[in-house]
Amino acid sequence: MQNKTKLMLAGALAAVIAVSGAASAHRIKHGGMQGGGMHEGGMEQGRHGGGMMRGMLERYDANKDGNISKDEVDQNRTSWLTEFDTDKNGTLSLQEFQALWLKARNEEMVREFQQFDKDGNGQVTLDEYKEPVDQMVTRMDRNGDGMIGKDDRMMGRDGKRHQMPMQDDDGDGDAGSTTEKPQ
């Protein structure tokens, strides 16, 4: 394989890893992970464990031995680049990469759809779509006012108000002191 092609493959792999990492960080920050995709419901609470590995095994474990080798990753990447490089110039344009990305994420999207479709009828109702967010609000609404807010962070599960950890809000290095600095 030519050095130019190897560099392009390495660059594409690095870009995919970076995008995947950023997407995973976003999912964790905004509700967790499970089935692979993100939605405002935060239904994906278990994905960072077995789900992510399951997806990687599905895609890269060519011999199905439960392990992913560098050769399997290289073969997959080479095959996919070849498949989606429609103009056969050895690189992926944004349009070509979009087609590759959509194929790679299709299984994740199907799993997430199936998690919403609780009754398995092939359709997601408004109630099924709203349920994960409704459950999250109920779980996080510690003071029982029907909303999630600052007061909920200060309430314990026992319903009593608790002191929040002290922060150095004024930047003077002493958390909790609110005295003004001399000017």
Side-chain angles (χ1 to χ4, degrees):
M1 189 180 304
Q2 293 180 331
N3 284 340
K4 183 179 178 181
T5 304
K6 287 180 184 178
L7 285 172
M8 286 188 278
L9 285 172
L13 177 59
V16 169
I17 290 170
V19 168
S20 296
S24 294
H26 178 79
R27 284 188 208 115
I28 290 168
K29 182 177 179 182
H30 296 287
M33 297 148 76
Q34 188 172 348
M38 186 60 204
H39 58 83
E40 58 272 324
M43 187 167 128
E44 315 77 301
Q45 55 258 8
R47 169 100 169 122
H48 53 278
M52 185 177 291
M53 186 61 179
R54 180 182 66 227
M56 290 182 68
L57 285 169
E58 287 173 359
R59 181 163 179 191
Y60 297 112
D61 185 16
N63 64 5
K64 305 300 181 204
D65 67 353
N67 298 301
I68 301 170
S69 70
K70 183 180 178 325
D71 286 340
E72 287 172 314
V73 172
D74 290 347
Q75 289 171 3
N76 173 275
R77 295 297 182 165
T78 301
S79 170
W80 279 45
L81 187 130
T82 302
E83 178 182 345
F84 290 97
D85 179 16
T86 56
D87 60 9
K88 304 302 177 200
N89 68 353
T91 65
L92 295 175
S93 67
L94 179 58
Q95 280 186 318
E96 291 167 332
F97 185 81
Q98 180 182 21
L100 179 151
W101 190 88
L102 289 171
K103 178 180 178 180
R105 300 303 182 263
N106 187 60
E107 289 180 19
E108 295 174 19
M109 181 270 306
V110 169
R111 278 194 293 268
E112 186 167 334
F113 177 86
Q114 290 169 338
Q115 290 189 2
F116 276 114
D117 182 20
K118 296 292 185 191
D119 61 9
N121 69 350
Q123 298 178 359
V124 174
T125 66
L126 179 59
D127 287 340
E128 289 171 324
Y129 186 62
K130 289 174 19 178
E131 181 184 3
V133 178
D134 291 347
Q135 288 176 354
M136 180 185 69
V137 170
T138 300
R139 189 175 60 248
M140 294 177 70
D141 178 20
R142 293 182 177 179
N143 65 4
D145 66 358
M147 298 182 282
I148 301 171
K150 183 178 179 180
D151 287 344
D152 295 305
R153 292 190 309 251
M154 296 172 66
M155 301 284 290
R157 296 214 183 271
D158 58 4
K160 296 179 182 173
R161 224 171 163 73
H162 295 276
Q163 186 69 27
M164 292 290 289
M166 300 297 272
Q167 296 178 351
D168 182 19
D169 293 332
D170 58 5
D172 65 357
D174 60 343
S177 172
T178 57
T179 57
E180 293 189 26
K181 294 181 187 176
Q183 296 182 352

